[in-house]
Amino acid sequence: MEGIDPFLEMARLAKARGTPAATKAALWIQLARYCAPQLRSILVVKPKMPTGKDAVKRAKQAVFGFIDE
């Protein structure tokens, strides 16, 4: 069917007075998925940090590019 916008038709049906409430809700949910994508969780993994003098030396090297002896 040429010239038909499915999103526009879904919105038209969702706004129509004769459309059942359950159908309206389903249409709005489907339309919302295209307007605002669903967020996904992100797993953040913190690397194990070394401790002691060796860790301080490596941190200085990473930040400043040298090790102060």
Side-chain angles (χ1 to χ4, degrees):
M1 298 176 140
E2 213 171 290
I4 295 177
D5 184 354
F7 300 107
L8 199 56
E9 288 299 312
M10 288 173 71
R12 187 184 62 75
L13 281 170
K15 288 180 174 182
R17 289 182 187 237
T19 307
T23 305
K24 284 184 178 192
L27 287 167
W28 287 124
I29 289 169
Q30 289 300 322
L31 285 169
R33 288 183 179 160
Y34 290 98
C35 296
Q38 197 172 5
L39 299 176
R40 306 252 182 229
S41 62
I42 298 173
L43 176 64
V44 178
V45 179
K46 181 180 173 185
K48 187 175 180 181
M49 299 297 291
T51 57
K53 287 184 180 181
D54 192 41
V56 173
K57 286 181 184 179
R58 277 190 262 162
K60 284 183 180 179
Q61 185 177 15
V63 173
F64 302 113
F66 64 89
I67 298 176
D68 186 27
E69 296 290 333

